[in-house]
Amino acid sequence: MAKVLTPRSESYAQWYNDLVLKADLAENSAVRGCMVIKPYGYAIWEKMQAQLDRMFKETGHENAYFPLFIPKSFFSKEADHVEGFAKECAVVTHYRLMNNPNGEGVVVDPEAKLEEELIVRPTSETIIWNTYKNWIQSYRDLPIKCNQWANVVRWEMRTRLFLRTAEFLWQEGHTAHSTKEEAIEETETMINVYADFAEKFMAVPVIQGFKTASERFAGALETYTIEALMQDGKALQSGTSHFLGQNFAKAFDVKFASKEGKEDYVWATSWGVSTRLMGALIMAHSDDNGLVLPPKLAPIQVVIVPIYRKDEELEKIKVVAEDIKSKLIAKGVDVKFDFSDNKKPGWKFAEYELKGVPVRLAIGPRDIENGTVEIARRDTLSKETISLDGIDEHIVNLLDEIQENIYNKAIDFRTENTTTVESYDEFKKVLNEKGGFILAHWDGTEETEKRIKDETKATIRCIPLDQPDEEGKCMVTGKPSTKRVLFAKAY
């Protein structure tokens, strides 16, 4: 089964594409740049969505839904926002089709032109702030803390399944506050939620930081990000949280009366993660045999495969397997007992390895006689035979161990592939020969940032929040710098 994947050492990009397709996660659709997320891939996304949704609600957020279509005029109200998204917008100009007069199919009815074009949402700040104007009159109406699970469209020219598609799934939080301090606190809270989710559930270590001015979200005063390192040494922006200041409130005239009776504009935030997290999950952990899924996000955490020749043997195995299954389900474990007879055990082993199932149990007639079961771990590809006594507790503990091991492996990889450099020549050498994250001094100017990007294709991923102040000199210009920033080539 492993031979269906191009080795990572041969072509990381092709390995990734092979894995997404062969593991039945997603496939390209008939619509250019759009994907079909298949049931197994969607099951992973559902687990991500369910956990994030719990975390959002625990921090006081409520789900709502806003229109897919946004009047074009809304984008004209916030200059930075429209400039940031103008080149990616899909535009609806007509509302009706008609039979082609020549008898061949249908055409757009020229009489059905919209008075104002509608934009298929690339993000929802404008339609939401136009709505919030009707919801907010005084400080008593604040804060508003809404989240939306939705699809968005950004008309990408170069696409890759999960990482960059014209349409993708995401959540977008949009909050309104009475003070600047409260809005900043919200922005920081949500980037911490994303970091906790990435590390505790995806088993992906991330670095939190600020985006530079040129890399901020269009219309934001500050953008916080979590950056993850993939196995090919490239960074992946995995979630962002934006302090929007009063920009959108001013654009849509959203004011409130304070306790003192003073009228002021509302303070805003927005934050989101998308199905791009699926790409991070795949590229951070998987190997040449297939997916390696952290147990907390695996649709199937344990699969039981019977090994038998006769129907009588299968019946005896079923009794034991169903008992194990019921005990594990009672402990909250997602289990599949695969006793289908159309595939041999060896094929099943390879298939579940490809799909990243964390734990595989194999039970044969000899195991029934001895009261044992063979356990295979996907993360280490190791096997052991253990007693059936206390098997459920053993597996629950093993799943926790696998989750921790996957995270530790990823953080060790990041540590080994994070380099501190002093000079531009050293920077370029590390970037070309080793890759990964690079910490270096930067003079804080957009000119130097642009030069580095143009000459090396590397970008400032973030100004890390936990990076200590350190007097130094910019590696390019030699001008003073007070802190190292994080560089990498990125997806």
Side-chain angles (χ1 to χ4, degrees), residues 4 11 46 55 69 76 114 116 131 144 163 187 189 201 214 310 360 362 373 384 393 409 425 471 473 478 485:
V4 303
S11 171
E46 281 183 314
M55 296 171 84
F69 302 115
S76 303
L114 292 171
E116 179 180 3
T131 304
I144 293 175
L163 296 176
T187 312
T189 294
F201 291 86
S214 64
K310 303 174 183 177
R360 185 184 74 235
V373 62
E384 63 174 337
E393 286 290 343
K409 185 177 179 182
D425 285 341
E471 296 298 326
K473 294 182 179 180
V485 298

Side-chain angles (χ1 to χ4, degrees), residues 59 61 184-194 241:
T59 47
H61 300 88
I184 290 174
E185 182 182 355
E186 166 76 5
T187 312
E188 293 173 347
T189 294
M190 296 320 295
I191 203 66
N192 286 328
V193 167
Y194 290 153
S241 183

